[in-house]
Amino acid sequence: MNKRQSRLTTIADILLNNIVGSQDELLDLLRKEGCNVTQATLSRDLKTLRTSKVATEMGGYRYVVGSGLPTPKEVERGTVDRVSRAAIEDVIMSGQLVVVKTRNGYAGGVAYDIDEIVSPYILGTIAGADTVFVAIAADAPAERVIETLAGIIPPDLVARMLSRREAENQQIPTTEP
């Protein structure tokens, strides 16, 4: 990995794991990681990572790494293609709805990634600040929906979804007298 690729990865990691409201704050955090860059270089890097500023719960702003389908070069670099996975905190499937909980400010990007999936099982998404509702086709098998979303959802959450699904399938229906 070259110096720029390493720096982009470091910036993405910092923004995913910290609330950073200004380029000055980000420059300080980068210096602590051993990356000494100019403000102009940092601005170009933020553009490359498709960052934007979103409001926080505390009334301030923070940078978030953009999402969407990465270009082939970005996939090759291995930086932007993991943003959705890092932003997703939990996924719950209930009936014809999948609820995806994300870090604050990342729901729109995750929803975009899900909307880009070509699948007869996914009808569309609605995104808030930290939640995405995914509408599922009425006849969609849950396992197929999970398989379809597995490219975006972190592996541990996919395993949890499958475990929940298996537990639901093993429950014996009770009849009330």
Side-chain angles (χ1 to χ4, degrees):
M1 184 181 305
N2 71 30
K3 187 176 177 180
R4 181 166 189 261
Q5 293 166 345
S6 176
R7 187 176 65 246
L8 288 172
T9 299
T10 301
I11 292 169
D13 286 341
I14 288 170
L15 295 180
L16 285 167
N17 295 303
N18 300 279
I19 296 176
V20 179
S22 71
Q23 287 189 14
D24 287 336
E25 287 177 60
L26 184 53
L27 282 169
D28 289 341
L29 291 168
L30 282 169
R31 286 186 187 108
K32 289 178 184 174
E33 295 291 325
C35 295
N36 291 315
V37 296
T38 64
Q39 188 277 327
T41 298
L42 179 59
S43 290
R44 285 190 295 274
D45 289 347
L46 291 173
K47 185 175 181 179
T48 298
L49 291 170
R50 298 185 201 127
T51 61
S52 58
K53 276 190 165 182
V54 297
T56 65
E57 300 89 6
M58 298 169 280
Y61 289 90
R62 73 179 284 183
Y63 280 102
V64 294
V65 178
S67 197
L69 294 178
T71 66
K73 285 184 181 179
E74 291 166 336
V75 170
E76 192 175 287
R77 277 199 320 256
T79 55
V80 181
D81 60 333
R82 63 199 170 106
V83 172
S84 280
R85 282 188 177 203
I88 295 172
E89 295 180 335
D90 197 12
V91 182
I92 298 169
M93 186 171 190
S94 178
Q96 303 325 122
L97 186 66
V98 175
V99 179
V100 181
K101 295 297 288 179
T102 70
R103 294 172 187 230
N104 187 41
Y106 285 88
V110 171
Y112 177 87
D113 285 349
I114 293 170
D115 285 335
E116 289 295 307
I117 296 172
V118 177
S119 170
Y121 307 123
I122 298 175
L123 302 177
T125 62
I126 299 173
D130 66 355
T131 305
V132 179
F133 292 126
V134 183
I136 304 300
D139 60 347
E143 290 75 17
R144 293 292 182 144
V145 172
I146 295 168
E147 281 177 21
T148 302
L149 295 173
I152 292 174
I153 298 170
D156 61 320
L157 295 179
V158 171
R160 188 182 315 161
M161 287 178 73
L162 291 169
S163 294
R164 287 177 184 159
R165 188 73 189 146
E166 189 176 310
E168 289 171 6
N169 289 339
Q170 291 179 359
Q171 289 181 352
I172 301 171
T174 58
T175 56
E176 293 185 23

